[in-house]
Amino acid sequence: PHNTVLTFKIRAEDSTGTVTFSPPEEDPTGVHGFYVNDLKPDSPFPVYTFLLDHTSKTAPRSILAALTCSTYRMGAFAYRGDLYAKAGIRQRGQSVCGSTKPFLKVHFVRGRDFQKQRKVNLQSLWTDKSLVRERMAWDLFDELTNPACFHFYVRLHANGAYFGLYASMEYPDEHFLERNGLDPDGNLYKAVAS
């Protein structure tokens, strides 16, 4: 049924008695997973889904509004049916923390990255009423051959229901540096006030 999480492990034994597990015992999530969502939106954008108390009757807006900017809340993240168990989510940002439409950060378990990323920033675009300024700025940086984060629109769902249009923005880390032709062990600075 809709909004169902299915997790499973596989144990295989060959004719010699050798046992293999999938995922391997050292896998940080400990399970494979699949998310069933009967809503198949006709959207040109990727659909990201957060699962936080996903069987709760509490409205997703209330659940996401209760997130803090300093502590990750454990849940799951789903994309195209694949489940990323034990994903943490929190609000993000210094000046935008507590926005009406929250800016979010997703943290994936080491060893179970999402599209080669351990963290994903989700920009709510709340402060950009045109919804295009950030995207245009990152595209311009890239066209000028400056280091630029990946930035693209996503349709965000929470607990099986539509939540809003967001922009997925690459978290600048060593992967960002390397992808932009820079030393992955080089200096990377973060501005904490605007």
Side-chain angles (χ1 to χ4, degrees), residues 66-119:
L67 297 173
T68 69
C69 295
S70 57
T71 306
Y72 284 100
R73 181 159 171 202
M74 295 308 290
F77 177 86
Y79 177 64
R80 292 187 170 174
D82 288 330
L83 185 75
Y84 294 80
K86 299 182 182 176
I89 180 173
R90 68 172 175 85
Q91 286 197 34
R92 63 178 295 269
Q94 300 287 326
S95 60
V96 294
C97 185
S99 294
T100 303
K101 183 180 175 188
F103 289 68
L104 302 167
K105 182 182 294 285
V106 185
H107 185 274
F108 298 94
V109 176
R110 187 176 301 278
R112 185 71 167 107
D113 296 350
F114 173 67
Q115 298 180 339
K116 298 182 181 178
Q117 297 179 85
R118 251 192 100 217
K119 294 179 184 176

Short mmCIF file of all heavy atoms in Angstrom, two decimals, residues 66-119:
data_model
loop_
_atom_site.label_atom_id
_atom_site.label_comp_id
_atom_site.label_asym_id
_atom_site.label_seq_id
_atom_site.Cartn_x
_atom_site.Cartn_y
_atom_site.Cartn_z
N ALA A 66 9.02 21.29 13.16
CA ALA A 66 9.54 20.97 14.49
C ALA A 66 11.03 20.65 14.48
O ALA A 66 11.64 20.51 15.54
CB ALA A 66 8.76 19.81 15.10
N LEU A 67 11.63 20.53 13.29
CA LEU A 67 13.07 20.25 13.23
C LEU A 67 13.85 21.44 13.74
O LEU A 67 13.43 22.59 13.58
CB LEU A 67 13.48 19.95 11.78
CG LEU A 67 12.87 18.72 11.13
CD1 LEU A 67 13.24 18.67 9.66
CD2 LEU A 67 13.33 17.46 11.84
N THR A 68 15.00 21.17 14.33
CA THR A 68 15.86 22.25 14.80
C THR A 68 17.02 22.45 13.82
O THR A 68 17.22 21.64 12.92
CB THR A 68 16.44 21.95 16.20
OG1 THR A 68 17.38 20.88 16.08
CG2 THR A 68 15.35 21.60 17.19
N CYS A 69 17.79 23.49 14.04
CA CYS A 69 18.93 23.78 13.18
C CYS A 69 20.22 23.16 13.69
O CYS A 69 21.25 23.27 13.04
CB CYS A 69 19.10 25.29 13.04
SG CYS A 69 17.72 26.05 12.20
N SER A 70 20.17 22.52 14.83
CA SER A 70 21.41 21.99 15.39
C SER A 70 21.41 20.47 15.56
O SER A 70 22.47 19.87 15.66
CB SER A 70 21.67 22.63 16.76
OG SER A 70 20.56 22.40 17.62
N THR A 71 20.25 19.84 15.55
CA THR A 71 20.20 18.40 15.80
C THR A 71 19.51 17.68 14.65
O THR A 71 18.40 18.06 14.25
CB THR A 71 19.41 18.13 17.10
OG1 THR A 71 20.00 18.89 18.16
CG2 THR A 71 19.45 16.65 17.45
N TYR A 72 20.18 16.65 14.15
CA TYR A 72 19.57 15.82 13.10
C TYR A 72 18.50 14.92 13.71
O TYR A 72 18.69 14.36 14.79
CB TYR A 72 20.62 14.94 12.42
CG TYR A 72 21.49 15.68 11.46
CD1 TYR A 72 22.77 16.10 11.82
CD2 TYR A 72 21.05 15.96 10.16
CE1 TYR A 72 23.58 16.78 10.92
CE2 TYR A 72 21.85 16.63 9.26
CZ TYR A 72 23.11 17.04 9.64
OH TYR A 72 23.91 17.71 8.75
N ARG A 73 17.41 14.78 13.02
CA ARG A 73 16.38 13.84 13.42
C ARG A 73 16.48 12.65 12.47
O ARG A 73 16.52 12.82 11.25
CB ARG A 73 15.01 14.49 13.29
CG ARG A 73 13.91 13.55 13.71
CD ARG A 73 12.68 14.31 14.07
NE ARG A 73 11.60 13.35 14.25
CZ ARG A 73 10.34 13.67 14.16
NH1 ARG A 73 9.99 14.91 13.93
NH2 ARG A 73 9.42 12.76 14.33
N MET A 74 16.52 11.46 13.02
CA MET A 74 16.70 10.26 12.20
C MET A 74 15.39 9.86 11.54
O MET A 74 14.33 9.93 12.13
CB MET A 74 17.24 9.10 13.05
CG MET A 74 18.64 9.35 13.59
SD MET A 74 19.83 9.82 12.35
CE MET A 74 19.99 8.29 11.46
N GLY A 75 15.54 9.45 10.31
CA GLY A 75 14.40 8.98 9.53
C GLY A 75 14.94 8.25 8.33
O GLY A 75 15.96 7.56 8.41
N ALA A 76 14.28 8.41 7.23
CA ALA A 76 14.72 7.78 5.99
C ALA A 76 14.48 8.75 4.85
O ALA A 76 13.70 9.71 4.97
CB ALA A 76 13.98 6.47 5.75
N PHE A 77 15.17 8.50 3.76
CA PHE A 77 15.08 9.32 2.56
C PHE A 77 14.84 8.36 1.40
O PHE A 77 15.44 7.28 1.35
CB PHE A 77 16.41 10.06 2.37
CG PHE A 77 16.50 10.89 1.12
CD1 PHE A 77 16.03 12.19 1.09
CD2 PHE A 77 17.09 10.37 -0.02
CE1 PHE A 77 16.14 12.96 -0.06
CE2 PHE A 77 17.20 11.12 -1.17
CZ PHE A 77 16.73 12.42 -1.19
N ALA A 78 13.96 8.71 0.50
CA ALA A 78 13.66 7.83 -0.63
C ALA A 78 13.75 8.60 -1.94
O ALA A 78 13.37 9.78 -2.01
CB ALA A 78 12.27 7.22 -0.49
N TYR A 79 14.27 7.91 -2.95
CA TYR A 79 14.35 8.47 -4.29
C TYR A 79 14.18 7.33 -5.28
O TYR A 79 14.91 6.33 -5.22
CB TYR A 79 15.70 9.17 -4.51
CG TYR A 79 15.89 9.70 -5.90
CD1 TYR A 79 15.07 10.71 -6.40
CD2 TYR A 79 16.87 9.18 -6.73
CE1 TYR A 79 15.24 11.19 -7.68
CE2 TYR A 79 17.04 9.66 -8.01
CZ TYR A 79 16.22 10.67 -8.48
OH TYR A 79 16.39 11.15 -9.76
N ARG A 80 13.19 7.47 -6.16
CA ARG A 80 12.87 6.44 -7.15
C ARG A 80 12.68 5.06 -6.52
O ARG A 80 13.12 4.05 -7.06
CB ARG A 80 13.94 6.39 -8.23
CG ARG A 80 13.97 7.60 -9.11
CD ARG A 80 14.94 7.39 -10.24
NE ARG A 80 14.79 8.48 -11.20
CZ ARG A 80 15.58 8.63 -12.23
NH1 ARG A 80 16.56 7.78 -12.45
NH2 ARG A 80 15.40 9.63 -13.05
N GLY A 81 12.09 5.05 -5.35
CA GLY A 81 11.81 3.79 -4.67
C GLY A 81 12.92 3.30 -3.77
O GLY A 81 12.68 2.55 -2.84
N ASP A 82 14.17 3.72 -4.04
CA ASP A 82 15.29 3.30 -3.19
C ASP A 82 15.22 4.01 -1.85
O ASP A 82 15.01 5.22 -1.79
CB ASP A 82 16.64 3.60 -3.85
CG ASP A 82 16.94 2.69 -5.01
OD1 ASP A 82 16.47 1.54 -4.98
OD2 ASP A 82 17.64 3.12 -5.93
N LEU A 83 15.39 3.24 -0.80
CA LEU A 83 15.31 3.77 0.56
C LEU A 83 16.70 3.93 1.13
O LEU A 83 17.52 3.01 1.07
CB LEU A 83 14.49 2.82 1.44
CG LEU A 83 14.23 3.32 2.85
CD1 LEU A 83 13.16 4.40 2.81
CD2 LEU A 83 13.78 2.18 3.73
N TYR A 84 16.97 5.09 1.67
CA TYR A 84 18.22 5.37 2.37
C TYR A 84 17.87 5.45 3.85
O TYR A 84 17.44 6.49 4.35
CB TYR A 84 18.85 6.69 1.87
CG TYR A 84 19.28 6.59 0.43
CD1 TYR A 84 18.36 6.72 -0.61
CD2 TYR A 84 20.60 6.33 0.11
CE1 TYR A 84 18.76 6.62 -1.92
CE2 TYR A 84 21.00 6.22 -1.22
CZ TYR A 84 20.07 6.37 -2.22
OH TYR A 84 20.47 6.24 -3.53
N ALA A 85 18.03 4.31 4.53
CA ALA A 85 17.67 4.23 5.94
C ALA A 85 18.68 5.01 6.78
O ALA A 85 19.81 5.25 6.36
CB ALA A 85 17.64 2.76 6.38
N LYS A 86 18.25 5.37 7.97
CA LYS A 86 19.10 6.07 8.94
C LYS A 86 19.66 7.37 8.40
O LYS A 86 20.78 7.76 8.69
CB LYS A 86 20.23 5.17 9.43
CG LYS A 86 19.74 3.92 10.13
CD LYS A 86 20.90 3.08 10.64
CE LYS A 86 20.41 1.81 11.29
NZ LYS A 86 21.51 0.95 11.70
N ALA A 87 18.86 8.09 7.62
CA ALA A 87 19.25 9.41 7.14
C ALA A 87 18.82 10.43 8.18
O ALA A 87 17.73 10.33 8.75
CB ALA A 87 18.60 9.71 5.80
N GLY A 88 19.68 11.41 8.43
CA GLY A 88 19.35 12.47 9.37
C GLY A 88 18.86 13.70 8.61
O GLY A 88 19.32 13.98 7.51
N ILE A 89 17.93 14.43 9.20
CA ILE A 89 17.43 15.65 8.59
C ILE A 89 17.32 16.72 9.66
O ILE A 89 16.98 16.43 10.81
CB ILE A 89 16.08 15.42 7.88
CG1 ILE A 89 15.59 16.72 7.24
CG2 ILE A 89 15.07 14.84 8.80
CD1 ILE A 89 14.35 16.57 6.40
N ARG A 90 17.67 17.93 9.27
CA ARG A 90 17.52 19.07 10.18
C ARG A 90 17.29 20.32 9.36
O ARG A 90 17.51 20.33 8.15
CB ARG A 90 18.74 19.23 11.08
CG ARG A 90 20.02 19.66 10.36
CD ARG A 90 21.12 19.99 11.36
NE ARG A 90 22.38 20.29 10.76
CZ ARG A 90 22.76 21.47 10.29
NH1 ARG A 90 21.92 22.49 10.31
NH2 ARG A 90 23.97 21.65 9.78
N GLN A 91 16.84 21.38 10.04
CA GLN A 91 16.79 22.68 9.37
C GLN A 91 18.22 23.17 9.23
O GLN A 91 19.12 22.75 9.95
CB GLN A 91 15.96 23.67 10.16
CG GLN A 91 14.48 23.42 10.07
CD GLN A 91 13.68 24.63 10.51
OE1 GLN A 91 14.06 25.77 10.29
NE2 GLN A 91 12.53 24.36 11.10
N ARG A 92 18.44 24.07 8.30
CA ARG A 92 19.79 24.58 8.09
C ARG A 92 19.76 26.09 7.97
O ARG A 92 18.72 26.69 7.80
CB ARG A 92 20.43 23.96 6.85
CG ARG A 92 19.74 24.28 5.55
CD ARG A 92 20.45 23.67 4.36
NE ARG A 92 21.75 24.22 4.16
CZ ARG A 92 22.02 25.26 3.39
NH1 ARG A 92 21.07 25.86 2.72
NH2 ARG A 92 23.25 25.71 3.28
N GLY A 93 20.96 26.64 8.07
CA GLY A 93 21.13 28.06 7.85
C GLY A 93 21.21 28.87 9.12
O GLY A 93 20.60 28.52 10.12
N GLN A 94 21.99 29.92 9.07
CA GLN A 94 22.09 30.85 10.19
C GLN A 94 20.91 31.83 10.15
O GLN A 94 20.07 31.82 11.02
CB GLN A 94 23.42 31.61 10.13
CG GLN A 94 24.64 30.73 10.19
CD GLN A 94 24.87 30.17 11.57
OE1 GLN A 94 24.58 30.82 12.56
NE2 GLN A 94 25.40 28.97 11.64
N SER A 95 20.87 32.62 9.10
CA SER A 95 19.83 33.66 9.01
C SER A 95 18.48 33.12 8.57
O SER A 95 17.46 33.78 8.78
CB SER A 95 20.29 34.77 8.07
OG SER A 95 20.51 34.25 6.78
N VAL A 96 18.45 31.95 7.96
CA VAL A 96 17.18 31.40 7.47
C VAL A 96 16.63 30.30 8.37
O VAL A 96 15.56 29.76 8.09
CB VAL A 96 17.31 30.89 6.02
CG1 VAL A 96 17.57 32.03 5.06
CG2 VAL A 96 18.35 29.81 5.92
N CYS A 97 17.32 29.98 9.44
CA CYS A 97 16.84 28.94 10.35
C CYS A 97 15.50 29.38 10.93
O CYS A 97 15.36 30.50 11.42
CB CYS A 97 17.85 28.70 11.46
SG CYS A 97 17.36 27.34 12.52
N GLY A 98 14.53 28.51 10.85
CA GLY A 98 13.21 28.85 11.38
C GLY A 98 12.32 29.53 10.36
O GLY A 98 11.27 30.06 10.71
N SER A 99 12.71 29.52 9.08
CA SER A 99 11.88 30.12 8.03
C SER A 99 10.53 29.44 7.97
O SER A 99 10.38 28.28 8.34
CB SER A 99 12.55 29.98 6.67
OG SER A 99 13.73 30.73 6.60
N THR A 100 9.55 30.14 7.44
CA THR A 100 8.22 29.57 7.28
C THR A 100 8.29 28.29 6.45
O THR A 100 7.65 27.29 6.77
CB THR A 100 7.28 30.59 6.60
OG1 THR A 100 7.27 31.77 7.41
CG2 THR A 100 5.89 30.04 6.44
N LYS A 101 9.05 28.33 5.39
CA LYS A 101 9.32 27.14 4.58
C LYS A 101 10.78 26.79 4.84
O LYS A 101 11.68 27.47 4.36
CB LYS A 101 9.09 27.43 3.09
CG LYS A 101 9.27 26.24 2.18
CD LYS A 101 9.02 26.64 0.73
CE LYS A 101 9.31 25.52 -0.23
NZ LYS A 101 9.25 25.99 -1.63
N PRO A 102 11.05 25.76 5.64
CA PRO A 102 12.41 25.52 6.13
C PRO A 102 13.42 25.12 5.06
O PRO A 102 13.11 24.38 4.13
CB PRO A 102 12.23 24.39 7.14
CG PRO A 102 10.98 23.70 6.74
CD PRO A 102 10.11 24.74 6.12
N PHE A 103 14.63 25.67 5.19
CA PHE A 103 15.78 25.21 4.45
C PHE A 103 16.25 23.95 5.18
O PHE A 103 16.28 23.92 6.40
CB PHE A 103 16.89 26.26 4.48
CG PHE A 103 16.60 27.49 3.67
CD1 PHE A 103 15.59 28.37 4.03
CD2 PHE A 103 17.35 27.78 2.54
CE1 PHE A 103 15.32 29.52 3.29
CE2 PHE A 103 17.09 28.91 1.78
CZ PHE A 103 16.08 29.78 2.15
N LEU A 104 16.62 22.90 4.44
CA LEU A 104 16.88 21.61 5.06
C LEU A 104 18.25 21.05 4.67
O LEU A 104 18.78 21.38 3.62
CB LEU A 104 15.79 20.61 4.67
CG LEU A 104 14.36 21.02 5.03
CD1 LEU A 104 13.35 20.13 4.31
CD2 LEU A 104 14.15 20.99 6.53
N LYS A 105 18.78 20.18 5.53
CA LYS A 105 20.01 19.46 5.26
C LYS A 105 19.75 17.99 5.55
O LYS A 105 19.18 17.64 6.58
CB LYS A 105 21.16 19.96 6.12
CG LYS A 105 22.48 19.25 5.81
CD LYS A 105 23.61 19.72 6.71
CE LYS A 105 23.98 21.14 6.48
NZ LYS A 105 24.73 21.44 5.29
N VAL A 106 20.17 17.14 4.61
CA VAL A 106 20.04 15.69 4.78
C VAL A 106 21.44 15.12 4.91
O VAL A 106 22.33 15.46 4.13
CB VAL A 106 19.33 15.03 3.58
CG1 VAL A 106 19.10 13.55 3.84
CG2 VAL A 106 18.03 15.72 3.27
N HIS A 107 21.63 14.27 5.89
CA HIS A 107 22.93 13.64 6.15
C HIS A 107 22.76 12.14 6.01
O HIS A 107 21.93 11.54 6.68
CB HIS A 107 23.39 14.01 7.56
CG HIS A 107 24.74 13.53 7.90
ND1 HIS A 107 24.99 12.27 8.40
CD2 HIS A 107 25.95 14.13 7.81
CE1 HIS A 107 26.28 12.13 8.61
NE2 HIS A 107 26.88 13.24 8.25
N PHE A 108 23.56 11.55 5.11
CA PHE A 108 23.47 10.11 4.85
C PHE A 108 24.56 9.38 5.62
O PHE A 108 25.62 9.93 5.89
CB PHE A 108 23.59 9.83 3.35
CG PHE A 108 22.49 10.46 2.56
CD1 PHE A 108 22.66 11.71 1.98
CD2 PHE A 108 21.26 9.83 2.44
CE1 PHE A 108 21.63 12.31 1.28
CE2 PHE A 108 20.22 10.42 1.73
CZ PHE A 108 20.42 11.67 1.15
N VAL A 109 24.29 8.15 5.95
CA VAL A 109 25.24 7.31 6.69
C VAL A 109 26.47 7.07 5.82
O VAL A 109 26.35 6.80 4.62
CB VAL A 109 24.57 5.96 7.07
CG1 VAL A 109 25.56 5.03 7.73
CG2 VAL A 109 23.38 6.20 7.96
N ARG A 110 27.64 7.18 6.43
CA ARG A 110 28.89 6.93 5.70
C ARG A 110 28.84 5.53 5.08
O ARG A 110 28.45 4.57 5.72
CB ARG A 110 30.09 7.04 6.63
CG ARG A 110 31.43 6.95 5.90
CD ARG A 110 32.60 7.17 6.83
NE ARG A 110 32.59 8.45 7.51
CZ ARG A 110 33.02 9.60 6.95
NH1 ARG A 110 33.48 9.60 5.73
NH2 ARG A 110 33.00 10.71 7.64
N GLY A 111 29.18 5.46 3.80
CA GLY A 111 29.12 4.19 3.10
C GLY A 111 27.82 3.97 2.36
O GLY A 111 27.67 3.03 1.59
N ARG A 112 26.85 4.85 2.56
CA ARG A 112 25.56 4.75 1.86
C ARG A 112 25.21 6.13 1.32
O ARG A 112 24.18 6.72 1.61
CB ARG A 112 24.48 4.23 2.83
CG ARG A 112 23.14 3.96 2.21
CD ARG A 112 23.16 2.73 1.30
NE ARG A 112 21.80 2.33 0.98
CZ ARG A 112 21.24 2.51 -0.21
NH1 ARG A 112 21.92 3.05 -1.19
NH2 ARG A 112 20.01 2.14 -0.41
N ASP A 113 26.14 6.68 0.53
CA ASP A 113 25.96 8.01 -0.03
C ASP A 113 24.81 8.05 -1.03
O ASP A 113 24.46 7.04 -1.63
CB ASP A 113 27.24 8.46 -0.75
CG ASP A 113 28.42 8.61 0.18
OD1 ASP A 113 28.23 8.55 1.40
OD2 ASP A 113 29.55 8.78 -0.32
N PHE A 114 24.27 9.23 -1.21
CA PHE A 114 23.24 9.46 -2.21
C PHE A 114 23.87 10.21 -3.37
O PHE A 114 24.32 11.34 -3.20
CB PHE A 114 22.08 10.27 -1.61
CG PHE A 114 21.05 10.68 -2.61
CD1 PHE A 114 20.26 9.74 -3.23
CD2 PHE A 114 20.89 12.02 -2.94
CE1 PHE A 114 19.30 10.11 -4.16
CE2 PHE A 114 19.93 12.40 -3.86
CZ PHE A 114 19.14 11.45 -4.47
N GLN A 115 23.94 9.59 -4.51
CA GLN A 115 24.53 10.19 -5.71
C GLN A 115 25.89 10.81 -5.42
O GLN A 115 26.17 11.95 -5.74
CB GLN A 115 23.58 11.22 -6.31
CG GLN A 115 22.26 10.61 -6.76
CD GLN A 115 21.30 11.61 -7.36
OE1 GLN A 115 21.40 12.80 -7.12
NE2 GLN A 115 20.35 11.11 -8.12
N LYS A 116 26.74 10.02 -4.75
CA LYS A 116 28.12 10.40 -4.39
C LYS A 116 28.17 11.59 -3.43
O LYS A 116 29.15 12.32 -3.37
CB LYS A 116 28.95 10.70 -5.64
CG LYS A 116 29.09 9.51 -6.55
CD LYS A 116 29.95 9.83 -7.73
CE LYS A 116 30.05 8.64 -8.65
NZ LYS A 116 30.84 8.91 -9.84
N GLN A 117 27.12 11.79 -2.67
CA GLN A 117 27.08 12.87 -1.69
C GLN A 117 26.71 12.31 -0.32
O GLN A 117 25.80 11.51 -0.21
CB GLN A 117 26.05 13.92 -2.08
CG GLN A 117 26.34 14.62 -3.38
CD GLN A 117 25.26 15.62 -3.69
OE1 GLN A 117 25.29 16.75 -3.23
NE2 GLN A 117 24.27 15.19 -4.45
N ARG A 118 27.42 12.79 0.70
CA ARG A 118 27.08 12.41 2.08
C ARG A 118 26.07 13.35 2.68
O ARG A 118 25.36 13.01 3.62
CB ARG A 118 28.34 12.41 2.93
CG ARG A 118 28.68 10.98 3.25
CD ARG A 118 29.70 10.77 4.30
NE ARG A 118 29.03 10.43 5.54
CZ ARG A 118 29.45 10.84 6.70
NH1 ARG A 118 30.50 11.59 6.81
NH2 ARG A 118 28.82 10.49 7.78
N LYS A 119 26.04 14.57 2.18
CA LYS A 119 25.08 15.56 2.65
C LYS A 119 24.46 16.25 1.45
O LYS A 119 25.13 16.46 0.44
CB LYS A 119 25.75 16.62 3.53
CG LYS A 119 26.28 16.10 4.83
CD LYS A 119 26.97 17.20 5.62
CE LYS A 119 27.58 16.68 6.89
NZ LYS A 119 28.32 17.73 7.61
#
